Amino acid sequence: MNKDAEKKEDQGEQEEQSGSSSLVQKIQALGQTNIPQAPDSNIHVLSIIGQVEGHIQLPPQNKTTKYEHLLPQLIAIEQNPKIEGVILLLNTVGGDVEAGLALSEMIASLSKPTVSIVLGGGHSIGVPIAVSTDYSFIVPTATMTIHPVRLTGLVIGVPQTFEYLDKMQERVINFVVNHSNIKEEKFKDLMFAKGNLTRDIGTNVLGTDAVDYGLIDEVGGVKEAMAKINEFIDQAKGSGEQEVIQ
Amino acid sequence: MILYTPLSETDIFPTADNVYTNRKCITYEGKTVFVEKNNNGEYQLVQLLSTDPQDYLNDMYTPGSIIP
């Protein structure tokens, strides 16, 4: 009896120790101990943070969003019937043009409702990604830098490379104009404006201005975005039911 | 040493290879995660890649946790 009791005490102590050590680990890792649990969500979140990484792998100290990881996730979202909508969170400094365009086209061609929120910054290639969704929001403090496409590194064949870059820029402009309410003239004006950025051409557009130009649909944050996506989901459900009746 | 050059810092001081090799992208219980090998030879979770917001609330995938 005594031995059993001792054993039990030992076990209890061990459990306590392992419990406290996992607690310590959590505190070390996160600075907090418990996380709230919630039921399954029908809305999934795709965050585009840091640089959009394309064909060249950046050193690990860079915070990057790798498009090869996001593309399969978008396919998974499209296939999963439980997922009814996607929210895109953007805080990016830009990055690879073709990777960004790939992401934008994927998001634009999703059948499910999509809403984006630009937080902090949605610069350069972040602009087409932000406008690729069905509806876009920007928080009042966020900015979007619009500037011409550029290249760093060794260039072999300058005129050809220039033509190639010019075409690439045209693709970006076309995408943004086709997926937002901004006029091509206005977007080009912003892109080639002088005197706004020191030592560079382009414009740093503030949240409210982006809405005025028609680039982004509305100023708002999480609350507005959630309301909008739920509205879209209800619409999609409503139209689905109507088809069944007919 | 003071450098005055248009070259980027990484062109002059290339990142050491082990920085790349220590970090891996693996699939752990169906979720894609980034892990980093720490000094004890254990794999520590660096980043979770998932679109499900609930995964981020799961204790198992909190950054810094050790993957067995």
Side-chain angles (χ1 to χ4, degrees):
Chain A
M1 277 297 276
N2 260 347
K3 269 188 182 175
D4 268 4
E6 266 176 35
K7 258 189 188 173
K8 270 183 189 169
E9 255 176 40
D10 270 3
Q11 275 181 350
E13 246 172 56
Q14 272 179 357
E15 272 168 26
E16 232 170 65
Q17 273 182 351
S18 71
S20 69
S21 75
S22 77
L23 207 67
V24 167
Q25 205 195 327
K26 263 185 220 163
I27 292 168
Q28 281 174 343
L30 274 179
Q32 64 184 51
T33 54
N34 66 327
I35 302 167
Q37 296 293 325
D40 276 349
S41 170
N42 62 338
I43 296 165
H44 272 211
V45 180
L46 201 66
S47 50
I48 302 197
I49 42 171
Q51 292 220 37
V52 178
E53 190 177 300
H55 304 297
I56 295 163
Q57 193 178 4
L58 293 162
Q61 68 262 29
N62 291 289
K63 190 154 257 186
T64 62
T65 299
K66 295 179 205 303
Y67 79 126
E68 70 264 35
H69 291 145
L70 295 190
L71 299 184
Q73 286 183 333
L74 283 164
I75 297 282
I77 287 170
E78 182 66 33
Q79 279 192 323
N80 191 341
K82 280 183 186 162
I83 304 169
E84 292 175 317
V86 189
I87 286 195
L88 209 70
L89 298 176
L90 274 144
N91 193 354
T92 177
V93 289
D96 193 292
V97 175
E98 302 216 311
L101 280 178
L103 278 173
S104 309
E105 290 285 6
M106 283 290 286
I107 295 158
S109 56
L110 276 182
S111 70
K112 294 180 178 173
T114 49
V115 168
S116 65
I117 317 173
V118 180
L119 308 151
H123 307 294
S124 319
I125 202 67
V127 177
I129 300 176
V131 302
S132 66
T133 51
D134 297 331
Y135 205 83
S136 49
F137 285 95
I138 188 162
V139 293
T141 52
T143 61
M144 302 179 95
T145 311
I146 301 164
H147 67 85
V149 172
R150 276 186 299 244
L151 176 82
T152 57
L154 183 69
V155 173
I156 299 168
V158 172
Q160 294 88 334
T161 310
F162 173 76
E163 296 268 311
Y164 178 64
L165 274 179
D166 203 41
K167 285 265 165 61
M168 198 178 263
Q169 189 163 291
E170 206 57 40
R171 281 152 73 194
V172 173
I173 295 171
N174 283 340
F175 187 90
V176 172
V177 170
N178 288 335
H179 289 85
S180 70
N181 298 322
I182 199 166
K183 293 273 174 293
E184 189 174 344
E185 282 304 306
K186 184 72 208 167
F187 191 67
K188 279 188 173 168
D189 280 352
L190 293 171
M191 189 179 251
F192 302 114
K194 275 182 252 175
N196 292 320
L197 302 175
T198 42
R199 301 183 304 150
D200 200 353
I201 57 172
T203 318
N204 199 5
V205 181
L206 199 71
T208 45
D209 294 335
V211 176
D212 290 341
Y213 296 141
L215 190 62
I216 297 289
D217 293 312
E218 207 177 313
V219 174
V222 180
K223 182 179 65 194
E224 288 85 357
M226 290 305 283
K228 196 77 197 173
I229 198 146
N230 282 322
E231 188 191 314
F232 279 142
I233 291 170
D234 288 344
Q235 271 176 17
K237 274 183 188 163
S239 68
E241 276 166 18
Q242 270 183 348
E243 273 168 30
V244 171
I245 292 165
Q246 281 170 351
Chain B
M1 179 172 56
I2 296 166
L3 295 173
Y4 181 41
T5 165
L7 295 175
S8 77
E9 194 199 332
T10 48
D11 286 341
I12 303 162
F13 304 109
T15 325
D17 279 346
N18 67 330
V19 186
Y20 289 98
T21 49
N22 269 350
R23 195 170 283 198
K24 268 196 218 160
C25 177
I26 59 159
T27 309
Y28 173 58
E29 303 200 344
K31 314 277 182 228
T32 310
V33 292
F34 272 102
V35 290
E36 198 168 58
K37 205 174 187 175
N38 64 14
N39 293 334
N40 302 330
E42 296 163 318
Y43 284 101
Q44 194 168 32
L45 202 149
V46 177
Q47 191 190 353
L48 166 69
L49 284 167
S50 170
T51 53
D52 190 348
Q54 302 309 325
D55 286 345
Y56 290 90
L57 302 180
N58 190 333
D59 279 359
M60 268 167 50
Y61 307 120
T62 50
S65 57
I66 305 288
I67 286 178

